[in-house]
Amino acid sequence: MKTLTIGFSKSSKKFGVFSWLIMWVQGTPYSHTYLKYSAAWSDRQIYFQASHSSVNFMSEERFLAEETVIKEFEFLVCDSKFNQMQDFALDTSAQPYGIATIFGLGYVIVAEKLGFKVHNPIRSASNTPVCSQLIAELLKNLDVPLLMIIDDITPKDLMPIVQNLPSDLISTQII
């Protein structure tokens, strides 16, 4: 058994304008989401995320120098699910960050505030994800059913999905 942690954070930088903008638009105390897990070769924590200009890995020290953790959720997985997660992380690492996707999500949010339901016209979560889409893709890869289109998922949308998951993700029959 291994532990995977899905977390929500905000920028700890003095001028984290992008983080502030996300929190203001979404009305949340967080702007970012990530995966944390223990390295197999030591007791160090690895942070997997879409940030800056790509999907990347960071050490705990580096991550915490840039982010303030708001909330984390721990999940137990069997070794095969953990290996599945690592394969997904390696296969998606270095993909470009979804800058165009941000504009599409902005369109979805503005339309929602005006009373319209639309989908992100930039359908690129599997190739150029933002943080919430990356974690949603990871969950889908671990056989967690999602009731939303991944291209539309924001950190605010991801929070209730994650907080309602069972702490034991061993079964592939999660409902």
Side-chain angles (χ1 to χ4, degrees):
M1 298 287 234
K2 307 271 192 218
T3 301
L4 299 180
T5 302
I6 296 176
F8 295 81
S9 64
K10 66 180 182 177
S11 177
S12 60
K13 294 178 183 173
K14 191 171 187 170
F15 296 105
V17 178
F18 192 59
S19 179
W20 297 343
L21 182 61
I22 293 168
M23 291 186 295
W24 177 71
V25 167
Q26 298 247 283
T28 60
Y30 52 86
S31 59
H32 182 60
T33 186
Y34 57 89
L35 172 74
K36 178 176 75 171
Y37 61 97
S38 294
W41 62 89
S42 72
D43 61 352
R44 295 183 69 182
Q45 297 296 302
I46 297 172
Y47 287 74
F48 177 64
Q49 63 184 344
S51 69
H52 305 294
S53 62
S54 68
V55 174
N56 61 71
F57 298 92
M58 278 191 185
S59 68
E60 185 168 44
E61 180 180 51
R62 173 77 187 245
F63 182 84
L64 294 177
E66 295 183 7
E67 294 288 318
T68 300
V69 173
I70 302 301
K71 184 90 173 159
E72 291 186 329
F73 300 90
E74 289 188 351
F75 302 98
L76 290 176
V77 295
C78 61
D79 289 345
S80 65
K81 290 279 185 195
F82 186 80
N83 291 339
Q84 200 172 323
M85 175 280 300
Q86 288 186 110
D87 287 344
F88 173 85
L90 285 172
D91 291 343
T92 57
S93 68
Q95 284 183 338
Y97 183 82
I99 294 170
T101 301
I102 293 295
F103 292 105
L105 286 172
Y107 167 72
V108 171
I109 291 166
V110 168
E112 183 179 306
K113 290 188 183 291
L114 295 172
F116 299 101
K117 175 69 176 163
V118 298
H119 295 292
N120 188 339
I122 313 295
R123 302 253 173 213
S124 61
S126 61
N127 297 329
T128 57
V130 296
C131 63
S132 50
Q133 295 169 340
L134 178 69
I135 300 305
E137 285 280 354
L138 171 74
L139 290 171
K140 179 181 164 192
N141 187 264
L142 293 176
D143 303 316
V144 173
L146 300 173
L147 300 177
M148 284 188 74
I149 296 171
I150 290 176
D151 289 293
D152 294 347
I153 292 180
T154 66
K156 181 179 181 178
D157 298 322
L158 189 61
M159 174 66 88
I161 293 169
V162 172
Q163 70 187 14
N164 288 315
L165 289 174
S167 61
D168 181 349
L169 294 181
I170 295 168
S171 170
T172 58
Q173 300 290 320
I174 299 168
I175 298 183

